[in-house]
Amino acid sequence: MLPRVLRVLLEGARPPGGEEPGVVLSSYRPCPPTATPPGETWGHWGGSRGRPRGRARGGGAGGRRGGAVFALSRRRLRLPPARRLRAAPLPRLVRHLLEAPAGGDAAFGPAFLGTFRAFARGPHVLRLLLRRLEELGALSEAPNTPELTEAKGSLNSPLLLAGRVPRRFRGPQIPPLAEGLIRVLGPDSEAARRLENLGGLPQSTTPPEEEEEEGDEDEEGDADPLDILSFQAQEVAEQLTLTEAELFLRLVPYECLGALWSQRDKRGREGACPSVRATVRQFNRLAGAVVRSCLGGVGLRPPQRARLLEKWIRVAEECRALRNFSSLCAIISALQSSPVHRLRQSYETSRDAQRSYEELSAICSEQDNYSASRQLLLQDPPPEPPTRRQPRRPPQQRSMGVVPYLGTFLRDLVMLDAAMKDELEDGYINFDKRRKEFEVLAQVRELQGLCRGYRLHPQPRFRRWLRTLRPLPEARSHSLSYEIEPPGDPPPRPLKPTLVITHCAELLRSVGTPSVTWDQPCPPDVLVSPLGAPQPPSRLEQVRHPHPTKKKKMRGGGGDW
């Protein structure tokens, strides 16, 4: 006996012939149970009776309606299944932007606005929106129909999102299109006020990071790479975190899409993805500063150069405490570069520094697609431990933000772009791919919200040092590394024994004799004796040449043996 709620839902939906009841939908024909994925129902929309029209690529039955492929997802009781669009041409995607909220596909609007730059242009999208609204009678003087009212309400939310990120809609054709949408929505709506901002955008603006880069070229001189020792590790980490946080907050998430970022080096796209390029430029600048300072001063002795390595390891520790994974990975990648990593004599650092370097290298490892750093991104910040030089800071003075390593998400999006096709076999835009890409972009947007928790203050002295320190070309860095430590067999590392061996000639000559037991500890007086003192006969020598007066003692069972 079915529950009453299910009986009410299934009432009147029993097909003729006594078959099992299906789901109550208009123009719906039940599929075999084997073709129904768990939690999702597929319907054949718009085909002739008894004959499905097509199948969606990727397995399972496909549903088409009005030139689009849909999936039906179950919702709560007494609610119709949600229509989730999987693929469609661009005009149908824009039309679904107005229909998605009523159909239960609330995630379509954010996903479309976050990824449409990979397959369309902003003016074309706005033009299609205006055309659809005109078809519904938005520009006529007649009263609004329920369908038009619903479309206007559905359009407010996407336009509010577009107004928060105006770079998505930029170009000379935007102002007239924005004015048309303002007339449709009404000048008093919040979305219309956001569209007015779109219409007043300047058409060519230089990003702040590019202006800063141009100013660096005019600054004369070259900083001393050894000046890094004059800064505290905590101060360096805070300034690096402040710079990385500013760049990460300026990041436009859709510029990370694989379809855009993977084409950055092609002709005509030299200025594409400026916010991502600024983050990559800062990463390379910091890595170059680490290499330059570690190779600075060719005449330095290995212990002195080890201080430079330990300095950057301490800075990386502070970046880890501040959850600045971008600078952390830049420092570790520089220490792992060939010109620095081959300096074996200089890597004789303290045990604490070596242990910390290994732990930080494991965090930045690419193993399992950066699984270690991904876990730390979503964890709550650990309590800040006190250091020997710096006391524990009060809770209100600690920074609680996070700056991820952007390469993790760029790699995910490039792999998604390579693994999934942009269009299906029939030419429809594969929107399932865009939904998966938007899941990655949503993580970036969430981390941008967490990044606002930093409370740091700029220190111009270190920033000036980092800007004016010129990086070394790759060939020059390798030549300096070979000057510091010439190639060839590495010199033997100095031994650090706990005992000083001063008298072991008999021990070496006795190798192979049966009188020596190598599995027993040797008496101390054989290995240790005062320096310069006359050496008494060893016990091994007494065994080989016993004294005449001690023969009877040994024959009698006495002696030390």
Side-chain angles (χ1 to χ4, degrees):
M1 187 69 179
L2 294 175
R4 181 178 179 278
V5 177
L6 292 180
R7 292 202 310 273
V8 172
L9 287 175
L10 299 176
E11 184 178 1
R14 185 179 302 276
E19 298 178 5
E20 291 297 326
V23 181
V24 180
L25 285 174
S26 60
S27 302
Y28 177 83
R29 294 189 304 276
C31 298
T34 56
T36 304
E40 197 169 76
T41 304
W42 292 90
H44 300 285
W45 300 89
S48 59
R49 179 176 295 274
R51 187 175 181 180
R53 195 174 223 182
R55 288 182 177 270
R57 193 175 178 203
R64 296 172 182 263
R65 181 183 182 184
V69 181
F70 288 90
L72 301 180
S73 302
R74 297 190 183 98
R75 293 194 289 176
R76 296 179 180 178
L77 296 179
R78 299 182 183 275
L79 289 176
R83 292 191 301 126
R84 180 176 176 272
L85 189 143
R86 298 190 66 206
L90 180 59
R92 188 65 181 87
L93 291 176
V94 176
R95 178 179 174 181
H96 190 68
L97 193 64
L98 305 176
E99 303 171 352
D105 193 4
F108 178 83
F112 179 86
L113 291 173
T115 60
F116 79 90
R117 291 294 295 269
F119 54 87
R121 296 184 178 274
H124 190 31
V125 172
L126 291 180
R127 191 177 297 110
L128 291 174
L129 278 175
L130 269 177
R131 184 181 306 171
R132 177 57 182 166
L133 292 172
E134 290 176 359
E135 293 175 356
L136 297 176
L139 299 181
S140 63
E141 298 180 357
N144 292 341
T145 61
E147 187 177 6
L148 178 59
T149 303
E150 179 182 333
K152 288 183 177 181
S154 302
L155 191 59
N156 278 326
S157 178
L159 288 181
L160 289 177
L161 178 61
R164 288 197 298 267
V165 189
R167 287 187 183 181
R168 294 175 179 172
F169 297 95
R170 174 175 291 179
Q173 302 175 358
I174 292 297
L177 294 174
E179 291 177 2
L181 287 175
I182 290 174
R183 290 196 304 268
V184 171
L185 298 175
D188 298 333
S189 63
E190 180 65 22
R193 285 192 287 270
R194 295 292 179 92
L195 285 171
E196 290 178 357
N197 297 333
L198 291 179
L201 280 176
Q203 301 304 323
S204 60
T205 57
T206 303
E209 56 271 12
E210 293 186 3
E211 295 178 355
E212 181 182 354
E213 186 72 14
E214 295 174 359
D216 294 345
E217 296 178 357
D218 300 336
E219 200 163 355
E220 298 180 356
D222 186 14
D224 186 359
L226 301 183
D227 283 349
I228 185 60
L229 297 175
S230 63
F231 300 101
Q232 295 291 335
Q234 180 179 338
E235 176 187 1
V236 174
E238 289 180 351
Q239 297 309 304
L240 293 176
T241 303
L242 181 59
T243 302
E244 295 281 3
E246 292 174 353
L247 293 175
F248 185 59
L249 290 176
R250 294 174 186 167
L251 178 72
V252 182
Y254 77 80
E255 293 182 0
C256 301
L257 290 172
L260 302 179
W261 179 244
S262 60
Q263 307 293 326
R264 66 191 181 279
D265 295 330
K266 288 193 173 182
R267 185 176 181 180
R269 299 187 60 85
E270 292 79 5
C273 309
S275 62
V276 182
R277 290 178 183 270
T279 303
V280 175
R281 190 183 303 118
Q282 169 64 19
F283 184 95
N284 295 334
R285 176 186 296 171
L286 176 56
V290 176
V291 174
R292 174 77 187 279
S293 59
C294 291
L295 299 179
V298 181
L300 293 179
R301 294 183 291 108
Q304 295 173 330
R305 198 172 304 280
R307 287 188 56 199
L308 293 170
L309 297 175
E310 289 188 7
K311 184 70 172 185
W312 283 114
I313 293 175
R314 301 306 179 196
V315 173
E317 287 179 346
E318 294 292 338
C319 289
R320 165 65 184 91
L322 291 170
R323 306 184 72 194
N324 178 9
F325 296 97
S326 182
S327 299
L328 169 61
C329 292
I331 296 173
I332 295 301
S333 64
L335 295 178
Q336 292 177 346
S337 63
S338 177
V340 179
H341 192 264
R342 63 174 299 273
L343 303 178
R344 296 189 58 182
Q345 298 182 47
S346 302
Y347 263 95
E348 293 293 336
T349 57
S350 63
R351 292 184 179 180
D352 292 341
Q354 285 284 355
R355 188 183 304 108
S356 177
Y357 172 74
E358 294 174 359
E359 294 176 356
L360 297 175
S361 299
I363 294 176
C364 300
S365 174
E366 298 182 6
Q367 186 177 5
D368 297 333
N369 198 10
Y370 300 98
S371 59
S373 60
R374 290 177 191 272
Q375 294 176 1
L376 294 175
L377 278 177
L378 303 177
Q379 291 179 359
D380 295 333
E384 183 180 4
T387 59
R388 288 175 294 180
R389 297 182 179 180
Q390 300 291 337
R392 183 186 294 272
R393 288 178 292 181
Q396 63 272 14
Q397 297 182 5
R398 299 179 195 168
S399 300
M400 304 299 290
V402 59
V403 179
Y405 171 51
L406 191 60
T408 305
F409 303 99
L410 292 177
R411 181 175 180 177
D412 290 346
L413 293 169
V414 170
M415 292 176 64
L416 270 175
D417 182 64
M420 303 182 68
K421 291 189 175 182
D422 295 334
E423 296 180 353
L424 303 185
E425 297 172 351
D426 49 9
Y428 286 5
I429 297 174
N430 184 9
F431 202 75
D432 277 348
K433 174 181 178 178
R434 307 307 169 187
R435 291 181 187 271
K436 293 183 181 295
E437 289 177 334
F438 181 72
E439 292 177 2
V440 181
L441 299 182
Q443 297 177 18
V444 176
R445 177 64 68 183
E446 180 182 359
L447 292 173
Q448 283 182 322
L450 297 176
C451 183
R452 303 180 186 276
Y454 286 115
R455 298 294 182 268
L456 302 173
H457 304 284
Q459 297 292 338
R461 180 168 169 262
F462 173 77
R463 289 192 165 192
R464 189 182 308 110
W465 176 84
L466 184 61
R467 287 197 309 267
T468 56
L469 184 65
R470 299 176 183 175
L472 293 173
E474 186 176 359
R476 179 57 178 165
S477 61
H478 281 280
S479 62
L480 281 177
S481 179
Y482 290 145
E483 290 181 23
I484 296 172
E485 288 190 18
D489 297 335
R493 296 184 179 182
L495 300 177
K496 299 179 181 180
T498 56
L499 297 175
V500 179
I501 301 176
T502 60
H503 187 69
C504 59
E506 298 85 353
L507 186 63
L508 295 177
R509 289 196 301 266
S510 62
V511 175
T513 58
S515 59
V516 179
T517 57
W518 295 97
D519 56 344
Q520 298 292 334
C522 192
D525 54 352
V526 175
L527 301 179
V528 182
S529 60
L531 295 175
Q535 305 298 332
S538 65
R539 295 188 181 275
L540 294 176
E541 190 70 20
Q542 293 178 9
V543 173
R544 291 182 175 180
H545 307 286
H547 196 273
T549 58
K550 294 185 179 180
K551 288 182 180 181
K552 293 183 179 180
K553 186 176 181 180
M554 294 180 65
R555 290 176 181 175
D560 297 334
W561 293 87

